Amino acid sequence: MVRSISSPKASYDDLADVFYLTLATEKIGRYHEDERGLVWRYSKSGKAIGVTVQGYAHLWRGQQRALATVIGHELHLDPVDVVKTFPVNLPDWLPEP
């Protein structure tokens, strides 16, 4: 089931190069960092409620569709909606991956 992304909270810290996407204000029950460096947040009931993308611009520049697919799969969102939450202006000081 793909859920609507009607009111996600998305932010990007350009100094740390970290992108945050949160779907719910539920208390976090656990975290899990996967092999891509994505830190998934889960509610106490086990539902995925957010993700932290470390090295967003440095590691994912030019791969936003792939990242949106991964995030969409885990958070049960349409990847097209996920892309709309991504930051548009990335820092100039970050090197290409």
Side-chain angles (χ1 to χ4, degrees):
M1 179 183 121
V2 174
R3 58 183 167 188
S4 171
I5 190 167
S6 59
S7 59
K9 181 179 177 187
S11 62
Y12 176 67
D13 180 339
D14 62 342
L15 294 176
D17 190 24
V18 177
F19 173 71
Y20 305 91
L21 179 62
T22 303
L23 299 180
T25 56
E26 297 177 49
K27 290 203 177 225
I28 297 170
R30 69 179 180 94
Y31 296 89
H32 168 73
E33 183 172 354
D34 70 14
E35 67 280 355
R36 296 170 292 248
L38 303 175
V39 180
W40 301 98
R41 296 184 301 280
Y42 298 90
S43 67
K44 290 184 178 187
S45 66
K47 180 174 73 174
I49 58 172
V51 64
T52 300
V53 181
Q54 303 172 80
Y56 171 79
H58 180 72
L59 299 174
W60 293 97
R61 183 179 294 182
Q63 299 183 62
Q64 283 86 358
R65 282 188 175 176
L67 179 60
T69 299
V70 170
I71 292 173
H73 176 76
E74 186 69 21
L75 298 180
H76 305 287
L77 299 170
D78 185 329
V80 172
D81 291 334
V82 174
V83 167
K84 293 175 186 175
T85 69
F86 290 163
V88 176
N89 299 316
L90 298 177
D92 294 333
W93 58 266
L94 288 169
E96 291 290 327

